[in-house]
């Protein structure tokens, strides 16, 4: 039986098969996945102890979709339109979708891989950690979130990063220094601008001779798109599998989405971008005439108590710049604007401004004339959250939209706990709780 065959079962693949049925595709769909699908953004909530590992395993897809968990594709036969798997099975296809994701970058370090060393990619990676000290290697978004999550459990945590400041791909040195102060305030021991030299269970040696206590070493050292199947099949590959606006590879019967795909010269990197690609492809395969247009990117740190957001591409410029610097209170904001609209920016320690600026940027709305009031959170950015489009995302951890929250509210979930149970909003990092409350307040105030 042919039909649509999906290789990989991460967040992008899971969203694709779910949306295929929602958009009316009734043909056969088969998924080959090495392991069960999980909602990877919530791995740090498992590390923090606020969610059990099983809570982030995604539910089975709707309809008669066949999911073969534990089966890994090993070869694509484009001429026969079939995929060979490691268990000896052969799976024919009419349309093939590559959603193979990315592989963790494991540094060439003595003792790695080895006992006590883990990545942060699956529930098995973060379950059952020892109570002893932990070293986190890598100070990007995942490394920062991981270190803060572990500190919430009371563990001794050190973060080692070879660059002079944290999140160097997104932040300048000044903002990175402010973020480092926030982590230090939370008890994370920072080793910035230093490289690891060797790991043995119990300690991580640095190149400058320092030794960091580490019963566990967590690798947050980046990922590489998993393009091995595509490359072996002769598809066009640069950093990722090259796709066009229809998310087609160089073989029109094969598509690619998520962290393995390269569209317009970019590899997604964010789960929200992978979801957008899955949505576009689901509509295409269900018969709609659409083309993929990358959504605007907003990177929000999933770490209660450390409010940080980066909107737009790092280092974006514009004809106007707005800056607020309040280092004594750990607050900073820098926005770039063109024609009164945000082209990029970074905000730290300003939760109300983060919510407002994210909405303005995502919807490409003009910034109010009171720039300072916007950054201080004393002015409304425009429409209240309830007036956002139905598909506006309120909870980024679980991709819960305004429509989902409003629907649960109308069905009787009238407080935060009930809404969390009904939609999973706020059950990740929890930073969306104020936005969810504002939606509820606006719904309560609206005419019946």
């Amino acid at each position: 039986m042919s039909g649509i065959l999906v290789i990989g079962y991460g967040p992008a693949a899971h969203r694709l098969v779910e949306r295929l049925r929602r958009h009316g595709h009734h043909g056969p769909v088969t998924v080959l996945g090495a392991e069960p699908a999980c909602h990877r953004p919530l791995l740090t909530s498992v590390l923090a102890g606020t969610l059990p590992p099983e809570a982030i395993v995604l539910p089975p897809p709707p309809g008669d979709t066949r999911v073969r968990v534990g089966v890994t594709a090993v070869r694509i036969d484009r001429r026969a339109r079939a995929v060979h798997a490691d268990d000896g099975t052969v799976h024919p296809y009419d349309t093939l979708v590559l959603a193979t994701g990315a592989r963790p970058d494991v540094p060439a370090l003595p003792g790695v891989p080895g006992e006590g060393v883990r990545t942060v990619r699956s529930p098995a990676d973060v379950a059952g950690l020892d109570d002893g000290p932990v070293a986190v290697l890598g100070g990007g978004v995942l490394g920062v979130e991981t270190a803060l999550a572990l500190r919430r459990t009371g563990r001794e945590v050190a973060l080692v990063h070879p660059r002079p400041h944290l999140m160097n791909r997104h932040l300048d040195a000044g903002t990175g220094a402010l973020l480092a102060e926030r982590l230090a305030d939370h008890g994370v021991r920072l080793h910035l601008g230093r490289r690891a030299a060797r790991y043995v269970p119990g300690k991580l040696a640095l190149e400058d001779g320092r030794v960091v206590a580490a019963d566990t070493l967590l690798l947050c050292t980046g990922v590489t798109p998993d393009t091995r199947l595509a490359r072996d099949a002769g598809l066009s590959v640069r950093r990722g599998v090259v796709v066009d606006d229809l998310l087609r590879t160089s073989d029109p019967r094969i598509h690619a989405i998520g962290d393995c795909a390269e569209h317009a010269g970019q590899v997604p990197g964010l789960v929200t971008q992978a979801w957008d690609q899955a949505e576009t492809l689901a509509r295409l395969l269900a018969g709609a005439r659409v083309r993929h247009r990358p959504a605007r990117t907003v990177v929000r740190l999933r770490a209660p108590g450390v409010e940080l957001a980066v909107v737009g591409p790092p280092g974006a410029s514009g004809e106007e710049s707005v800056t607020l610097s309040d280092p004594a209170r750990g607050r900073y904001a820098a926005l770039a604007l063109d024609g009164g609209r945000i082209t990029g920016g970074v905000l730290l320690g300003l939760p109300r401004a983060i919510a407002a600026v994210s909405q303005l940027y995502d919807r490409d709305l003009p910034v109010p004339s009171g720039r300072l009031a916007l950054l201080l959170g004393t002015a409304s950015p425009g429409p209240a959250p309830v007036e956002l489009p139905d598909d506006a995302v309120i909870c980024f951890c679980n991709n819960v939209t305004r429509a989902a929250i409003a629907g649960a509210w109308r069905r009787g979930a009238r407080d935060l706990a009930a809404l969390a149970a009904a939609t999973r909003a706020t059950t990740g990092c929890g930073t969306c709780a104020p936005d969810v409350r504002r939606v509820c307040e606006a719904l309560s105030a609206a005419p019946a």
Side-chain angles (χ1 to χ4, degrees), residues 11 15 38-46 50-51 55-58 141 145 152 270-272 275 298-304 308 392-401 405 423-433 435-436:
R15 179 56 56 91
C38 78
H39 188 35
R40 198 169 288 125
L42 296 184
L43 287 170
T44 51
S45 296
V46 177
T50 56
L51 287 177
I56 70 171
V57 176
L58 293 169
V141 175
E145 291 179 348
R152 294 200 293 277
L270 297 176
V271 70
T272 50
W275 285 337
V298 178
V299 177
R300 294 184 70 164
L301 201 65
R302 294 180 175 90
L308 172 66
V393 177
I394 304 298
C395 174
F396 284 86
C397 285
N398 291 294
N399 199 42
V400 181
T401 63
I405 293 171
T423 67
R424 297 184 70 176
T426 76
T427 61
C429 69
T431 55
C432 65
D435 296 332
V436 175

Side-chain angles (χ1 to χ4, degrees), residues 331-384:
R331 303 191 302 178
Y332 177 80
L335 299 180
L337 298 91
D338 261 337
R341 287 172 164 79
I342 299 167
T343 58
V346 58
L347 302 100
L348 175 65
L350 297 160
R352 290 184 65 86
I354 286 173
V357 167
S358 297
Q359 290 180 21
L360 292 169
Y361 176 73
D362 185 58
R363 300 175 66 194
D364 196 26
L365 294 174
V367 173
S369 57
R371 311 288 205 249
L372 182 60
L374 171 67
L375 295 180
L376 291 176
T378 58
S380 170

